[in-house]
Amino acid sequence: MTDQAVVTLPKGLYPEIEPYDTGYMPTEGKHQIYYEQSGNPQGIPVVVVHGGPGGGTSPNLRCYFNPKAYRIILFDQRGCGKSRPHASQDLSLEDNTTWHLVADMESLRERLGVNKWVVFGGSWGSTLSLAYALTHTQRVSALILRGIFLVRQSELDWFYQGGAANIYPDLWERFVAPIPQAERGNLLAAYIKRLNGEDAAERVRCALAWSGWEGDTLSIEGPPEAPTKFTDPDFAVAFARIESWYFQNRGFFESDNWILENVHKLKNIPAWIVQGRYDVVTPMTSAWDLHRAWPEAKFHLVKKAGHSSSDPGVLDGLVAAADEAITVVS
């Protein structure tokens, strides 16, 4: 594809479906990973990698795929969603790194008897999808990615140290409100101290501010009017604690540009990148850098969209990519 926006006819999501199989996968440690399968048991396996870190899956993630063609596999990463223990209750964050999650994905593939699968991920899900694909390249039949996030310092500074505040100054005030002025020079460190402190009320207050900042900036349409999961204290605590833990450790990658330095290894895997131009959470710079380093992947720039997978154009681009992948990997 060209560097310009790809025009696709609006497709919308496929109808809601229920899983035909659910379960928990044990790990070598304390974690138990929730997973589910829906769609066609004999279809093309696709694994959905949710965002965050710490975001968890949701039923609508089943609906990006033709249920007659795909065997749709969802799972909750360590500490979040239905996986156990939940990070809102277990404060240790033991054995929770990118490479533990990559190993979980590979164990899940083996458990479900999948030879190769399409890997579908957005935001942090794009990061983890790329890390998995670079580690287990022979097990990936295609990649569909959205809202590219490479866990580079520049990305973290943009969203958590004032860059995005220039676009959402009103929402930024709410984000920084729990942190004393003297500590705002390093907001990530200030939040980590409070999210892992012994004051439970302060932990919840800071978690809600952290998750609210992300939730309110997801869509180009602005903050949602109806309450969302980002206002739920249990979700917010798990989400904020896991996310800040990963960001503190820079995704557990060897270098700031680890993905870009290695992505050439994926040049023979069919891939689609869908990116909203006005994505504030994961700005287009990273998607563009990935596109330049990986020209073999089809790049779909959505001119009037933000970060959310449900923004018009992003949703259509993802469904179209999943439909196209059927003919490519069959």
Side-chain angles (χ1 to χ4, degrees), residues 226-266:
T228 69
K229 63 183 181 180
F230 294 96
T231 63
D232 176 75
D234 283 344
F235 171 85
V237 169
F239 178 71
R241 293 188 67 256
I242 295 173
E243 204 167 57
S244 60
W245 164 247
Y246 274 74
F247 297 167
Q248 177 187 25
N249 289 284
R250 303 283 288 283
F252 300 91
F253 293 122
E254 294 177 4
S255 67
D256 203 47
N257 284 303
W258 184 83
I259 290 176
L260 295 179
E261 291 164 356
N262 289 279
V263 75
H264 63 276
K265 300 172 185 177
L266 306 180

Side-chain angles (χ1 to χ4, degrees), residues 3 140 160 326:
D3 295 341
V140 178
Y160 295 107
I326 295 170

Side-chain angles (χ1 to χ4, degrees), residues 121-124 126-127 130 145-150 155 272-275 279 281-288 290 294 299 307:
S123 193
W124 161 255
S126 74
T127 321
L130 287 163
L145 308 173
R146 184 264 315 165
I148 300 303
F149 180 44
L150 305 176
E155 296 167 296
W272 293 258
I273 299 169
V274 181
Q275 178 72 32
D279 187 334
V281 180
T282 57
M284 186 183 147
T285 301
S286 292
W288 191 252
L290 183 65
W294 189 22
F299 186 77
H307 184 69

Side-chain angles (χ1 to χ4, degrees), residues 95-107:
D95 296 337
N96 199 332
T97 72
T98 301
W99 307 114
H100 285 101
L101 303 186
V102 166
D104 289 344
M105 290 177 64
E106 182 62 2
S107 294

Side-chain angles (χ1 to χ4, degrees), residues 17-321:
I17 54 174
E18 294 297 320
Y20 64 79
D21 174 49
T22 64
Y24 282 89
M25 180 185 73
T27 67
E28 292 183 356
K30 66 182 178 182
H31 292 279
Q32 297 182 49
I33 307 304
Y34 171 80
Y35 67 88
E36 63 176 51
Q37 301 188 79
S38 57
N40 180 0
Q42 306 305 317
I44 299 166
V46 57
V47 61
V48 179
V49 187
H50 68 69
T57 59
S58 59
N60 73 300
L61 290 173
R62 306 168 193 149
C63 303
Y64 286 83
F65 312 97
N66 183 334
K68 295 181 180 179
Y70 278 105
R71 175 185 175 187
I72 307 159
I73 302 164
L74 274 62
F75 74 101
D76 286 325
Q77 296 160 31
R78 296 187 178 205
C80 61
K82 296 181 181 178
S83 288
R84 303 183 294 224
H86 198 263
S88 64
Q89 305 299 322
D90 175 63
L91 302 182
S92 69
L93 291 174
E94 179 183 337
D95 296 337
N96 199 332
T97 72
T98 301
W99 307 114
H100 285 101
L101 303 186
V102 166
D104 289 344
M105 290 177 64
E106 182 62 2
S107 294
L108 182 60
R109 182 194 64 77
E110 294 175 347
R111 181 185 183 93
L112 299 180
V114 172
N115 181 36
K116 298 178 73 171
W117 50 12
V118 177
V119 181
F120 178 102
S123 193
W124 161 255
S126 74
T127 321
L128 183 54
S129 295
L130 287 163
Y132 175 83
L134 287 168
T135 308
H136 299 285
T137 309
Q138 300 305 313
R139 298 304 182 182
V140 178
S141 57
L143 282 157
I144 302 172
L145 308 173
R146 184 264 315 165
I148 300 303
F149 180 44
L150 305 176
V151 203
R152 297 184 292 183
Q153 188 62 50
S154 59
E155 296 167 296
L156 300 177
D157 289 344
W158 162 263
F159 197 61
Y160 295 107
Q161 203 54 53
N166 292 288
I167 300 173
Y168 290 104
D170 50 339
L171 304 178
W172 181 255
E173 285 187 6
R174 296 210 299 260
F175 174 62
V176 300
I179 307 301
Q181 187 71 41
E183 295 184 57
R184 293 181 185 177
N186 189 338
L187 286 162
L188 181 57
Y191 263 102
I192 287 170
K193 180 172 73 174
R194 289 163 175 81
L195 291 168
N196 295 281
E198 303 208 357
D199 187 330
E202 183 177 52
R203 185 162 59 244
V204 171
R205 182 168 62 252
C206 288
L208 289 170
W210 177 284
S211 62
W213 167 239
E214 184 159 337
D216 286 346
T217 54
L218 287 176
S219 174
I220 195 173
E221 297 179 357
E225 294 182 3
T228 69
K229 63 183 181 180
F230 294 96
T231 63
D232 176 75
D234 283 344
F235 171 85
V237 169
F239 178 71
R241 293 188 67 256
I242 295 173
E243 204 167 57
S244 60
W245 164 247
Y246 274 74
F247 297 167
Q248 177 187 25
N249 289 284
R250 303 283 288 283
F252 300 91
F253 293 122
E254 294 177 4
S255 67
D256 203 47
N257 284 303
W258 184 83
I259 290 176
L260 295 179
E261 291 164 356
N262 289 279
V263 75
H264 63 276
K265 300 172 185 177
L266 306 180
K267 65 180 181 179
N268 295 322
I269 295 178
W272 293 258
I273 299 169
V274 181
Q275 178 72 32
R277 179 177 287 282
Y278 298 107
D279 187 334
V280 172
V281 180
T282 57
M284 186 183 147
T285 301
S286 292
W288 191 252
D289 289 346
L290 183 65
H291 168 54
R292 286 306 192 198
W294 189 22
E296 296 84 3
K298 296 183 178 182
F299 186 77
H300 180 164
L301 171 60
V302 186
K303 290 183 177 179
K304 296 181 180 179
H307 184 69
S308 175
S309 59
S310 61
D311 268 8
V314 175
L315 185 154
D316 295 335
L318 290 171
V319 175

